[in-house]
Amino acid sequence: MKKILLTLVAASALTAAALPAAAAPNGPNNINAHQAQIEQRINQGVRSHKLTQREATQLRAQVRQIARLEARYRGNGLQNWERQDLDRRLDRVGAQVTAQMRDRDRDAGHYAGGYRR
């Protein structure tokens, strides 16, 4: 009985210790996933005509600029404050994507979800 109890306690401790590492929001893959999510939202906005080509181009340029900054940061090893900086910058671009998609600008020939006649 003691062996089973000790095994369960040890397994619980290992699981509890692994959870924070698995859920860490500042991992290097999280930055790439964040960038990919923003790119996907931009593409979706263009397809749904909620973003103009000009808006999409400007937003993509901001994402590329952050990617270049990430590459510079990674040159010396990515520090925690650098991850946080990149994440904040990506959050701002994400907020801009949302704002641009809601501002009712449309591609030429489109308005409010329909075609001009």
Side-chain angles (χ1 to χ4, degrees):
M1 182 69 148
K2 280 187 176 182
K3 285 185 179 182
I4 293 173
L5 184 59
L6 287 174
T7 303
L8 287 174
V9 170
S12 297
L14 287 174
T15 303
L19 282 177
N26 293 329
N29 293 334
N30 187 53
I31 293 168
N32 295 334
H34 201 166
Q35 289 170 335
Q37 177 199 27
I38 291 170
E39 287 284 348
Q40 185 177 31
R41 288 181 58 217
I42 293 169
N43 293 336
Q44 178 185 14
V46 171
R47 281 192 307 272
S48 66
H49 304 289
K50 291 182 180 181
L51 289 176
T52 65
Q53 287 296 328
R54 183 177 184 175
E55 289 170 336
T57 299
Q58 291 171 344
L59 292 165
R60 286 181 182 123
Q62 290 180 42
V63 174
R64 280 192 309 273
Q65 184 178 11
I66 293 169
R68 285 191 299 273
L69 180 60
E70 177 188 6
R72 256 193 6 232
Y73 283 170
R74 285 189 188 279
N76 296 329
L78 200 57
Q79 303 295 316
N80 194 40
W81 71 267
E82 292 168 326
R83 283 189 180 98
Q84 291 172 352
D85 180 48
L86 293 168
D87 212 27
R88 271 193 303 272
R89 290 170 188 261
L90 289 168
D91 284 343
R92 272 187 249 138
V93 174
Q96 288 176 350
V97 170
T98 300
Q100 292 291 348
M101 288 177 72
R102 292 181 179 169
D103 71 1
R104 305 293 238 177
D105 289 347
R106 300 288 184 241
D107 277 333
H110 297 90
Y111 72 99
Y115 291 95
R116 291 189 181 143
R117 297 177 190 200

